Amino acid sequence: MLNIILFGPPGAGKGTQSEKLIERYGLLHVSTGDLLRSEKANKTELGLLAKKYIDEGHLVPDEVVIGMIRNKLSGNLLGPGYIFDGFPRTVVQAHELDKLMTELGTEITIMVSLEVDENELVKRLLKRGETSGRSDDNEETVRKRLEVYNRETSPVASHYSRQGKLSVVNGLGTVSEIFDRICNAVSDKLKFQVG
Ligand code: B4P
């Protein structure tokens, strides 16, 4: 199986690149942002709980997100692999994901971390906010999300670096340029594994 974590700050292009990676590798998409937004839109108990965290730019509590991931993965045991988009976002979530992968008899192949500077991130998210209707795409919430990312999420990269799985990719450029960089990182990793 090929299991990719697409990592990076809000607006780095995780959702954008996930769509292309799914097409290329036939992976199953697991986006905690999309799952939470769908719960929110359906006004489920979980969605109502998540709403206040998302609208303020905070992370949804680990136990909620982990429960949601376990539900999503159960019953999908076999397949070409997964692309994790926006998950894990804390070191606790990373440990849980590693445990879950072991339970499924597989492991994370690579973490691709998209690097984009803060000015560009803010610009992209405010631009998306003009049309997305997303409650968290406004300047105040975007700044908060970046602060939360730097404090709570960025340490997750060191977790996978210690496992020799981190690959840092420049996230500036056109969508297809960045996609080519990601595919090169994935094939280098696969070559290395086979060799
Ligand atoms: P997410 O939905 O994961 O959203 P994101 O970080 O905003 O976006 P992404 O990086 O995918 O950006 P995109 O490709 O769309 O999270 C939303 C919220 O949900 C979080 O703040 C949190 O509250 C909660 N949450 C989610 N997962 C959680 C977890 N595991 N634990 C706890 N809470 C969790 O790109 C952004 C924009 O840039 C788009 O408009 C795109 O068109 C543009 N763009 C992309 N690539 C570009 C390029 N190369 N050049 C120019 N523009 C580009």
Side-chain angles (χ1 to χ4, degrees):
M1 279 173 88
L2 171 62
N3 298 304
I4 303 175
I5 298 174
L6 207 47
F7 188 73
K14 302 183 293 286
T16 307
Q17 296 296 334
S18 288
E19 283 177 28
K20 297 179 74 69
L21 287 163
I22 290 158
E23 230 176 83
R24 168 73 57 97
Y25 296 105
L27 303 173
L28 284 168
H29 190 204
V30 182
S31 159
T32 39
D34 287 352
L35 291 170
L36 289 166
R37 277 186 291 279
S38 140
E39 297 280 347
K40 214 174 135 208
N42 292 324
K43 296 194 164 59
T44 63
E45 201 180 323
L46 195 158
L48 294 173
L49 172 80
K51 181 179 178 341
K52 71 176 166 66
Y53 294 97
I54 295 175
D55 292 357
E56 288 173 10
H58 291 289
L59 294 180
V60 175
D62 285 336
E63 60 276 18
V64 175
V65 175
I66 290 162
M68 209 173 62
I69 290 283
R70 283 198 168 263
N71 276 342
K72 172 83 183 168
L73 265 55
S74 65
N76 270 333
L77 304 192
L78 291 175
Y82 295 99
I83 175 147
F84 294 99
D85 160 11
F87 178 86
R89 257 182 162 94
T90 65
V91 173
V92 171
Q93 292 181 17
H95 282 289
E96 279 299 318
L97 177 61
D98 292 349
K99 219 159 77 186
L100 190 54
M101 291 282 99
T102 306
E103 282 168 30
L104 296 177
T106 181
E107 62 172 316
I108 294 299
T109 314
I110 183 171
M111 169 188 263
V112 175
S113 175
L114 293 171
E115 275 203 332
V116 178
D117 64 80
E118 203 152 313
N119 286 340
E120 171 72 10
L121 295 170
V122 174
K123 209 168 83 188
R124 286 184 189 178
L125 292 173
L126 294 186
K127 182 155 179 261
R128 183 173 71 183
E130 291 168 10
T131 53
S132 67
R134 272 179 58 167
S135 55
D136 56 349
D137 281 347
N138 60 75
E139 181 142 18
E140 192 190 342
T141 314
V142 164
R143 298 264 175 215
K144 181 79 207 166
R145 286 160 67 196
L146 289 170
E147 191 189 308
V148 169
Y149 172 82
N150 289 329
R151 192 178 59 239
E152 298 180 44
T153 304
S154 60
V156 177
S158 311
H159 175 87
Y160 286 100
S161 170
R162 280 193 292 274
Q163 296 182 15
K165 292 179 177 171
L166 175 66
S167 181
V168 176
V169 165
N170 177 1
L172 286 174
T174 65
V175 169
S176 65
E177 279 166 355
I178 298 162
F179 179 61
D180 287 344
R181 289 176 204 147
I182 297 175
C183 291
N184 285 339
V186 170
S187 57
D188 281 352
K189 173 57 86 181
L190 293 174
K191 255 187 255 156
F192 181 72
Q193 276 186 339
V194 171

